[in-house]
């Protein structure tokens, strides 16, 4: 696993050896490791992740790092954590690598990708909440089309949503990622190089994990968490996240 934009994102934080930093999306710890390499004995790195697999990885591979603490929680809990631990206004920098991580995609059992057939789950914290399969079962065609259109920017959103609901009514739930992706392919055909299910899968994942709502909540409390002169480094992979982050900084600078 290789962390994206590792040097650039950490360089932009201007790490102080004795500072307090937060990795809002620990993943497999690539960004955390680079921050720890730049901290001295008095520095502290707090890492947040809601994925149980990420927490186990941190406990196994970062156990000897005394400047490091892992928190099993979404980054939406950063404000509350800092409040409870007298850290509001004391965080020198935050790194957030938004979206799904490659270990999550590569693990078929997590159900994020049609490239690795597995149960249609998509939950980053697979100990709670509804799976993608359950959401497809329960959501109306109108709401499902809205998700595909807004979160996936899918121009065939209504057609796909209606056909999915018709299929479920006749055949029952979609159980696997391959089953859903192949069905979407039959609905709209292959019109471009990438898999025709790509946008719908992105949309479902964003909805299942409330990714954009969580990001907005994190940004809402950001200034209360950061110290004077504190820095934020954000890595985004699609226009929806990118727009939210840029609009926030434009309105707060």
């Amino acid at each position: 696993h290789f962390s994206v934009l590792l040097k650039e994102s950490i360089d932009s934080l201007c790490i102080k050896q004795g500072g307090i930093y937060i990795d809002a999306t620990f993943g497999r710890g690539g960004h955390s490791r680079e921050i720890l390499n730049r901290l001295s004995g008095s520095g502290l790195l707090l890492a947040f992740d809601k994925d149980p697999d990420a927490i186990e990885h941190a406990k196994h591979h970062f156990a000897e790092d005394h400047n490091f603490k892992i928190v099993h929680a979404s980054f939406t809990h950063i404000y509350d954590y800092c409040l409870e631990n007298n850290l509001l206004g004391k965080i020198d920098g935050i790194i957030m690598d938004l979206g799904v991580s490659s270990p999550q995609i590569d693990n078929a059992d997590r159900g994020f990708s049609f490239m690795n057939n597995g149960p249609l789950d998509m939950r980053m914290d697979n100990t709670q909440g509804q799976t993608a399969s359950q959401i497809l079962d329960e959501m109306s065609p109108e709401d499902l089309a809205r998700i595909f259109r807004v979160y996936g920017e899918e121009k065939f959103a209504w057609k796909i949503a209606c056909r999915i609901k018709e299929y479920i009514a006749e055949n029952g739930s979609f159980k696997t990622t391959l089953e859903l992706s192949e069905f979407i392919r039959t609905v709209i055909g292959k019109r471009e190089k990438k898999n025709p299910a790509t946008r719908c899968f992105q949309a479902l994942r964003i909805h299942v994990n409330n990714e954009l709502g969580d990001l907005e909540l994190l940004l809402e409390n950001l200034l209360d968490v950061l110290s004077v002169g504190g820095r934020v480094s954000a890595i985004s992979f699609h226009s929806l996240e990118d727009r939210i982050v840029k609009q926030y900084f434009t309105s707060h600078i």
Side-chain angles (χ1 to χ4, degrees), residues 3 44 88 103 113 121 133 143 151 154 169 176-177 190-191 197-198 208 211 214 218 220 225 228-229 247:
S3 298
L44 175 64
L88 282 183
S113 174
D121 192 320
S133 178
D143 288 340
Y151 294 160
E154 172 57 67
T176 70
T177 56
K190 189 170 179 58
R191 300 166 181 266
T198 300
V208 167
E211 292 178 34
D214 284 358
L218 169 63
E220 181 181 316
V225 170
V228 175
Q247 286 177 348

Side-chain angles (χ1 to χ4, degrees), residues 184-240:
I184 293 173
R185 185 193 298 273
T186 65
V187 173
I188 63 174
K190 189 170 179 58
R191 300 166 181 266
E192 52 191 64
K193 290 184 178 180
K194 64 182 177 182
N195 190 300
T198 300
R199 284 183 285 268
C200 289
F201 267 65
Q202 173 184 294
L204 270 177
R205 191 203 79 226
I206 289 173
H207 178 76
V208 167
N209 297 288
N210 192 34
E211 292 178 34
L212 302 186
D214 284 358
L215 176 58
E216 289 172 344
L217 184 57
L218 169 63
L219 294 172
E220 181 181 316
N221 296 314
L222 206 57
L223 295 181
D224 293 324
V225 170
L226 288 169
S227 64
V228 175
R231 289 173 169 253
V232 177
S233 182
I235 302 171
S236 63
F237 291 91
H238 56 74
S239 60
L240 301 174

Side-chain angles (χ1 to χ4, degrees), residues 105-201:
I105 293 174
D106 295 339
N107 184 349
D109 291 338
R110 302 302 300 275
F112 282 99
S113 174
F114 45 75
M115 301 297 291
N116 299 294
N117 189 35
L120 190 58
D121 192 320
M122 297 193 184
R123 293 172 298 169
M124 291 179 180
D125 183 350
N126 54 6
T127 65
Q128 59 182 331
Q130 288 185 305
T131 66
S133 178
Q134 291 170 326
I135 284 171
L136 291 179
D137 286 347
E138 297 180 12
M139 190 162 284
S140 69
E142 292 80 8
D143 288 340
L144 191 56
R146 178 184 56 81
I147 286 172
F148 290 157
R149 184 176 60 255
V150 175
Y151 294 160
E153 300 176 296
E154 172 57 67
K155 60 183 177 181
F156 299 107
W158 177 245
K159 180 179 181 180
I160 295 169
C162 288
R163 291 288 301 277
I164 283 175
K165 297 304 295 186
E166 290 170 2
Y167 176 93
I168 292 172
E170 295 175 5
N171 303 284
S173 305
F174 286 94
K175 298 297 185 183
T176 70
T177 56
L178 183 61
E179 184 183 3
L180 178 61
S181 66
E182 287 301 313
F183 181 80
I184 293 173
R185 185 193 298 273
T186 65
V187 173
I188 63 174
K190 189 170 179 58
R191 300 166 181 266
E192 52 191 64
K193 290 184 178 180
K194 64 182 177 182
N195 190 300
T198 300
R199 284 183 285 268
C200 289
F201 267 65

Side-chain angles (χ1 to χ4, degrees), residues 41-53:
S42 61
L44 175 64
L45 173 63
L46 301 168
F48 288 74
D49 208 297
K50 56 184 176 181
D51 186 336
D53 290 349

Side-chain angles (χ1 to χ4, degrees), residues 22-41:
I22 290 177
D23 185 344
T25 50
F26 175 77
R28 289 300 180 267
H31 293 103
S32 283
R33 176 60 66 197
E34 183 63 23
I35 292 173
L36 287 168
N37 288 341
R38 305 186 190 197
L39 293 178
S40 70

